[in-house]
Amino acid sequence: MTPKLRSTLSIRDGGLWESRTSSRCVPIPSDMALCQNIGYDTMRMPNLLGHESLAEAVQQSTSWLPLLARECHPDARSFLCSLFAPICLDRFISPCRSLCESVRDSCAPIMSCYGYPWPEILRCEQYPADYVIGGFILSVPQASCRDCELEKPSSPKDTLESFCKSDFGKHLLSQFSLTTKLDVLKQGPLVGRQIRSRIELWLERDATCVRNMTRQHPRGGTFLVTGTVQGERLVVNKAYAWQRQNRNLMAAARKWKHHRCRN
């Protein structure tokens, strides 16, 4: 039998939502991509954002996936899922104010890249100051609106060093699609079909990178991207337009096959 629980939340000056009906524990939907593999598999409904149905919660949660793809804060997912899919205990557990402030300070600048303010519904002052849910509050570098802007290699040597420091290096056609052939210079820990699927997911979600890469190439083009693999995600740290006149890049690519990286 699915347990039904009474809400104990109160609303203060337009802050935390208050449920006026009994809540229930339900499995986290498989199509709520935001909150998969978060350490628990059941959530309370209605949730802390007042969503009465799972369909509404899933639909609203998808709008946050592009922000998570920017890796703006290591605890952004935990914070958002504590609201969209609160853990099913005997009472609601609200995220703490310091966690909210840390995520907001790192991620709000990225939202502003697209003209979106930090939403009032996530106003940090409404959360308690003395209860922490999961993780540590870290000092993290802020992501930038300039991520993945195309670079011009200063020399083949510098480009080879960049390749060595990266987990992967790939040619791709950007404009939210891939060429039929994906050339891999370095694949790192990725194997087989993982390479294409991860790149496709990155193209879909990291809108800032794609926009900056294609700004001067509105019809698409061939690009070389390098970066690191962090769990299930790719983090691109350098992007180059693949053009024959870029002699430094062409020379580095030719030398890469026989190049030995320094440990």
Side-chain angles (χ1 to χ4, degrees), residues 18-33:
E18 178 183 26
S19 174
R20 298 185 182 279
T21 60
S22 61
S23 64
R24 65 192 187 281
C25 292
V26 297
I28 296 175
S30 59
D31 56 348
M32 183 180 278

Side-chain angles (χ1 to χ4, degrees), residues 217-231:
H217 305 270
R219 296 183 179 180
T222 303
F223 303 91
L224 173 66
V225 295
T226 66
T228 58
V229 179
Q230 297 182 4

Side-chain angles (χ1 to χ4, degrees), residues 83 112 149 155 159 191 236 250 254:
L83 302 171
S112 69
E149 288 195 340
S155 70
T159 305
V191 294
V236 172
M250 296 297 111
R254 288 193 300 270

Side-chain angles (χ1 to χ4, degrees), residues 33-36 38 68 74-82 233:
L34 179 72
C35 300
Q36 298 300 307
I38 55 175
L68 287 189
D75 286 326
R77 183 184 299 272
S78 295
F79 169 67
L80 291 169
C81 288
S82 71
R233 300 179 183 177

Side-chain angles (χ1 to χ4, degrees), residues 13 41 45 47 69 93 104 118 130 147 150 155 181 196-197 203 226 229 238 240 245:
D13 298 325
D41 54 14
M45 284 296 295
N47 63 18
I93 301 296
R104 179 199 62 195
W118 186 253
D130 59 350
D147 284 355
L150 295 176
S155 70
K181 182 180 180 182
R196 178 173 289 271
S197 63
L203 283 172
T226 66
V229 179
K238 288 186 181 292
Y240 310 92
Q245 60 267 37

